[in-house]
Amino acid sequence: MRNKIFKIGGRVLLISCLLLSFSCKKLLDVSPEDAVEAKNNYRNINDANAAVIGIYGQLQTIADRYMVLNELRGDLVSPTINADRYLREISEHNVSADNPWADPKPFYKIIMNCNDALANFKIMLRDAKFRQEEYNQRYADIIAVRAWLYLQVGIHWGNVPYVTDPLASIDDLKDSSKFPKVSFNDLLDKLIASMQGIYLDGYTSTTATGSNSNSLLTTVDGYSTGLMFINKRCLLGDLNLWRGNYTDASTQYRYVTEQGYRNDQGAGNISFWQYKATYSNFNIVYNIGSDEQSLKDDNTDVAGWRSIFGSTAQGTDISAEWIWTMPFDKNFAPTNPFIDLFSNQGGRYLLTASQFAMDKWNSETQANGFPYDARGKLSVRTVNGKPVIMKPLYLYLNGPNFTALNPLQKQGRWLLYRTATLNLHFAEAACRDNYLDVAYALTNAGVIQVFSGIFPTRAVVGTGRNVPTDATNIMITHRPAPYDLDARYGDVPSYRGPWNRQIGTRSRANLNWLPTSLINNAPNAGGDQIGLENAIIQEDAEELAFEGQRWGDLLRVSLHRNDMSFIAEAVYQKLLRDGNPNASTAKAKLLSKDGVYLPFKM
């Protein structure tokens, strides 16, 4: 067994410094050339915490890679004139052998460190250096990180080696006889099995966190560490969604959406709006209501949809939307990589929104009649005459006219998973499970509107709802779990179900509802499943653009349909509308199932 833990260089990773229960200087004293004997570093619970924290810190080093592979390979992001040939290759799906973005080793290096930590945790347990419960908690933390990394590897490289034992060197993976590749579906089965055997719950009363350990949950310098860990149930739901286990996926998603309800303990509001797209949080709003220029898209917007990405608050509103996010601090390494990728102030401005992305937002109509989806105007802004992707930059470009008040202070967040992601994946699973009306409600109109008997009456977002005087029976009682969503809202007697405020991401964005022809209110009968799934993936694009979800959304649907034309056409349209002469070549490649994966070279 390998007896050396991962190396931590002289530059301290932010997450490590924030979460360590002992001095950061301990890490600063380790040089990049040194390795530390495991027996001297897995002595007690603090050392086990340090292993968890160090691995999470390493995730930040692949943030730019995560964004490039998951967004630039898709249809919403294009390279600017400043981009080099390697980024252009990724966008055009014509990757050369030396392309650094297509190298799987950065993912596998962290996976190998996960394997080392897990092996040493077992030794600690054997030697009674921590209790069984403490072992189970930290074991679960590392298993979840490894599963997430392997999911990313499978999404982008397809058939890959699956290694769970510690290795002396990552170069050992080059021996295919010892480490044969497994198919993506086999990989998913292994990841689901590994996740099913761990502690899945680790929540505080008001926020979700992937860590089960109270010693890892704190607030340091304004950063809530509870949002820095993978939510294990969201991850298990996603793994099942990828594998086609739709009821299992929905079960996990439903559990997370109702977490606040279980933990409310009489607080009043948490039960109704946490982890659901509700009318009380993050709506597209206007200062006046009838004037397009009154859209809250400036720095005064502290309550609307844009504040999801630009608010510096760490309070309950942000915790109601964000489930997993990591901070980049101006005082710690690594430097926020998104500034170089997206900003034309203080950055290299390598990537921007595709014309195809803008066309998607401009194809919508809002409930107030404006011919666009306002989320586009809040996601992409014109800065210095250029279109700039703003979601990852709102904490950096926060001066007048969205200029960097101090270009050298490159703070920001890595936005990984939030309420909208959870609800849209829940909708996709429900649609695939043929509960189209549930999927429609989650995406578009809200459970109470679809199942109250007054559908399709539409209320104006944020001004109240058109609900019956006595709505105590509004519950999807004729649906089996996990689709029996309780949206009861009545006063005789008084009762509020946990879903009564949920309105869906489209209504939250103040958009017109999707056509009712997409659904049939009878369970497992009728409706347009493919049409509704298309609409959900379109909504994914407009709500979750530039958050690292896009390539996975396109690929997953293509694989489930066994029709690669879905993803091929999306990329073709991006390249075509950007005037790229390689559009047809890219489309032809992506029509093959093998063509959607990067070449796996170690």
Side-chain angles (χ1 to χ4, degrees):
M1 178 181 294
R2 186 184 179 193
N3 67 347
K4 293 181 179 180
I5 66 168
F6 51 85
K7 302 173 185 179
I8 302 177
R11 298 173 68 199
V12 180
L13 296 170
L14 170 62
I15 282 219
S16 300
C17 195
L18 287 176
L19 304 186
L20 281 175
S21 58
F22 49 87
S23 172
C24 290
K25 186 177 185 299
K26 184 171 182 178
L27 290 178
L28 283 165
D29 290 340
V30 182
S31 70
E33 292 77 22
D34 293 335
V36 184
E37 295 297 325
K39 65 183 180 181
N40 295 324
N41 283 271
Y42 285 94
R43 299 164 301 182
N44 52 45
I45 191 67
N46 288 334
D47 291 342
N49 284 348
V52 174
I53 294 158
I55 286 171
Y56 263 94
Q58 289 183 353
L59 289 184
Q60 289 185 295
T61 66
I62 62 169
D64 55 348
R65 189 173 302 267
Y66 171 86
M67 188 68 73
V68 166
L69 294 181
N70 284 301
E71 291 294 345
L72 188 57
R73 299 187 75 206
D75 57 349
L76 306 179
V77 174
S78 296
T80 69
I81 193 173
N82 299 334
D84 62 17
R85 70 177 177 92
Y86 296 122
L87 289 172
R88 295 184 183 281
E89 287 175 358
I90 294 293
S91 181
E92 296 171 5
H93 295 269
N94 182 29
V95 175
S96 60
D98 62 338
N99 192 309
W101 298 104
D103 184 1
K105 286 196 293 294
F107 291 90
Y108 272 97
K109 286 179 179 177
I110 308 177
I111 289 171
M112 296 304 101
N113 289 333
C114 291
N115 293 342
D116 276 351
L118 292 169
N120 282 290
F121 287 173
K122 290 180 180 179
I123 295 172
M124 289 181 67
L125 181 65
R126 181 199 67 189
D127 295 344
K129 292 183 177 180
F130 55 13
R131 300 188 307 272
Q132 182 72 51
E133 182 181 11
E134 293 171 334
Y135 166 81
N136 291 344
Q137 291 168 345
R138 285 144 191 84
Y139 178 86
D141 287 337
I142 300 300
I143 285 289
V145 172
R146 189 177 70 182
W148 181 82
L149 287 163
Y150 267 125
L151 176 59
Q152 291 301 310
V153 170
I155 288 171
H156 296 295
W157 285 275
N159 298 341
V160 298
Y162 180 66
V163 183
T164 59
D165 294 328
L167 302 178
S169 170
I170 195 173
D171 290 336
D172 293 347
L173 288 172
K174 294 179 181 179
D175 189 345
S176 59
S177 64
K178 293 182 181 178
F179 304 104
K181 296 176 181 178
V182 300
S183 70
F184 189 19
N185 279 341
D186 287 344
L187 176 67
L188 290 169
D189 288 338
K190 293 178 184 296
L191 298 179
I192 290 169
S194 72
M195 290 289 294
Q196 288 175 332
I198 66 172
Y199 279 6
L200 291 175
D201 293 324
Y203 302 86
T204 66
S205 62
T206 58
T207 61
T209 174
S211 176
N212 308 91
S213 171
N214 288 334
S215 64
L216 292 174
L217 302 180
T218 185
T219 299
V220 181
D221 292 337
Y223 297 106
S224 170
T225 63
L227 298 178
M228 294 181 188
F229 296 94
I230 297 169
N231 182 291
K232 298 179 183 69
R233 287 191 180 273
C234 288
L235 175 58
L236 183 56
D238 286 350
L239 291 170
N240 277 296
L241 178 60
W242 275 96
R243 191 62 181 96
N245 304 327
Y246 303 119
T247 304
D248 291 339
S250 293
T251 299
Q252 297 302 327
Y253 297 143
R254 164 81 177 275
Y255 188 95
V256 179
T257 58
E258 294 188 353
Q259 185 60 46
Y261 185 72
R262 286 186 295 276
N263 288 330
D264 194 6
Q265 299 177 346
N269 289 325
I270 295 170
S271 57
F272 305 122
W273 51 251
Q274 189 171 35
Y275 311 136
K276 305 176 186 71
T278 70
Y279 69 80
S280 54
N281 292 88
F282 307 121
N283 297 296
I284 295 289
V285 291
Y286 291 78
N287 289 323
I288 300 172
S290 60
D291 180 4
E292 180 177 350
Q293 298 304 314
S294 70
L295 175 66
K296 286 191 174 181
D297 63 349
D298 57 21
N299 286 330
T300 65
D301 181 9
V302 294
W305 189 82
R306 188 185 72 75
S307 66
I308 294 172
F309 316 100
S311 174
T312 58
Q314 296 287 318
T316 55
D317 281 353
I318 293 300
S319 296
E321 183 68 20
W322 283 108
I323 298 174
W324 184 23
T325 175
M326 295 188 191
F328 289 102
D329 191 271
K330 61 181 180 294
N331 296 318
F332 300 101
T335 300
N336 182 351
F338 304 133
I339 293 171
D340 254 4
L341 286 177
F342 300 118
S343 181
N344 59 4
Q345 297 184 72
R348 299 168 62 195
Y349 188 53
L350 303 174
L351 305 177
T352 190
S354 68
Q355 183 60 49
F356 191 42
M358 303 309 299
D359 291 345
K360 284 181 180 293
W361 282 306
N362 291 333
S363 68
E364 296 282 4
T365 302
Q366 290 191 185
N368 57 10
F370 294 161
Y372 57 74
D373 180 341
R375 290 173 296 185
K377 295 179 178 292
L378 301 176
S379 299
V380 182
R381 295 190 59 87
T382 300
V383 180
N384 289 341
K386 302 290 185 181
V388 172
I389 291 173
M390 287 297 297
K391 277 186 180 179
L393 299 179
Y394 272 120
L395 296 182
Y396 175 67
L397 298 181
N398 52 15
N401 301 315
F402 295 97
T403 58
L405 295 180
N406 189 336
L408 299 180
Q409 294 184 356
K410 299 187 176 183
Q411 63 276 355
R413 289 195 193 105
W414 184 7
L415 309 172
L416 283 151
Y417 209 97
R418 61 187 177 97
T419 286
T421 321
L422 170 64
N423 279 259
L424 288 170
H425 286 188
F426 192 177
E428 183 183 337
C431 181
R432 276 272 145 189
D433 222 6
N434 216 12
Y435 290 94
L436 306 189
D437 43 8
V438 178
Y440 185 98
L442 288 168
T443 307
N444 182 60
V447 176
I448 197 169
Q449 298 284 15
V450 174
F451 294 95
S452 65
I454 55 122
F455 176 77
T457 302
R458 193 193 198 294
V460 178
V461 172
T463 62
R465 293 157 296 160
N466 292 331
V467 296
T469 302
D470 182 359
T472 56
N473 294 317
I474 301 173
M475 184 173 179
I476 311 178
T477 54
H478 53 292
R479 303 289 187 270
Y483 303 115
D484 53 336
L485 306 180
D486 183 357
R488 285 178 285 180
Y489 179 88
D491 295 317
V492 187
S494 178
Y495 183 82
R496 302 291 187 269
W499 289 86
N500 84 84
R501 292 188 180 186
Q502 189 266 344
I503 60 173
T505 55
R506 284 185 62 85
S507 289
R508 192 170 74 166
N510 205 28
L511 294 177
N512 288 324
W513 285 354
L514 297 167
T516 58
S517 59
L518 291 172
I519 67 172
N520 186 305
N521 283 338
N524 297 303
D528 181 358
Q529 185 183 52
I530 296 298
L532 181 56
E533 186 175 62
N534 287 344
I536 292 169
I537 301 304
Q538 170 88 349
E539 179 62 12
D540 284 336
E542 295 168 18
E543 174 72 28
L544 305 176
F546 321 133
E547 297 177 32
Q549 299 290 330
R550 189 55 179 169
W551 178 257
D553 289 340
L554 294 172
L555 178 63
R556 187 171 56 250
V557 170
S558 298
L559 293 175
H560 288 167
R561 295 180 183 180
N562 195 27
D563 180 8
M564 307 317 292
S565 67
F566 183 77
I567 195 169
E569 181 64 24
V571 174
Y572 171 74
Q573 288 297 329
K574 176 188 83 169
L575 297 174
L576 182 68
R577 298 186 199 195
D578 285 347
N580 192 310
N582 298 311
S584 295
T585 302
K587 180 178 180 178
K589 181 177 183 179
L590 294 175
L591 285 171
S592 163
K593 186 172 290 187
D594 291 337
V596 299
Y597 297 116
L598 296 169
F600 188 89
K601 296 180 180 179
M602 293 296 290

